Amino acid sequence: PLLLLPLAGLALWQLVIWVWSPRDWLLPSPAQVARVLWDDRARLWFHAQATIGEAALGFALAAALGAALAVLIVSSPYADRALYPWLVASQAIPVLAVAPLVAVWLDYGAAQVMVAFVIAFFPVVVTGVDGLRAADPALSAAVRTLDASRARAFWRVRVPAALPTLFSGLRMAAVFAVTGAVVAEYVGADRGLGYLSEFSTAEFNTARSFAAIALLAVIGVGFFALVGLAERIALPHRRHPRRPRWRRR
C-alpha cells in the first residue's frame, strides 16, 4: 500500500509519454530520468551533499532556538506579549522576498542555511508553545505539593507533556528546511540540487532536472523519517503500552 501511489504516478507518467509522445526536453520518460540518476550519480551526489548539509544545519538551529524560544514565551508573560505576536506577523513575509536579500548579505552556504532556518523556525516555536500551554496544570500543581520547585515541575511535567506536539512541528520543520535550502539555491548558489535543477532547466536538460527533484523528494522523506525515529526513541510509550525492556533499567 505504501508504494501504490508513487507506482500509480509513474504508470500515469509513462502513459502520457506513450499517448502524446512529447519531446524529451519537454517531458522525459521515467526511464530517461532513471538513466540520468545512474549515469550522473557522482554529479548528483556532489550537489546533494551541499543541500543535505545546508538543510540539516538550518533544521538543527531551528529546532534548538525554536524550542528555547517556546520555553521563554510560555515562562514569561512579558516575552509572550513582546515576541509572539511579531513572530506570527513575520510569517506574512514571503520567503522568496527575503531569500535574495539574504543571498546578498551572506556568503554562499551561510545564506542557504539561514533561509532553511527561517522557514523551519516558525513551526517549531508554535507547536512548542501550544504543547507547553496544553499541559494539564493539575499535574504541575500536584508535583508542587510534593515540594518540587516551579522549575522542576516545569521540566518534569510540562516539557514531557509537550513533546508529542513539539515532534509534530519538528517533522514539518525538517521538510521545510529542505525547501528553504533549495529556495536559497535557486536565488544564488554555485552548488546544490536547487542550483543543479535551475541550471539543467536553462540548458533544456529536463531529465537531469527531474532527477534532481527526485533526489530532493528522497531527502525530504529521509529528514521526516529521521525525526519520526527520534520521536519513537524519545516517546516509546506512544507505541507500546508498557515501557520497552531496554528502557526499564
Side-chain angles (χ1 to χ4, degrees), residues 168-186:
S168 296
L170 289 173
R171 286 196 297 270
M172 290 188 294
V175 179
F176 289 167
V178 178
T179 303
V182 173
V183 168
E185 288 170 355
Y186 270 107

Side-chain angles (χ1 to χ4, degrees), residues 24 50 54 60 63 82 111 182 186 190:
D24 293 343
E54 296 155 6
V182 173
Y186 270 107
D190 59 1

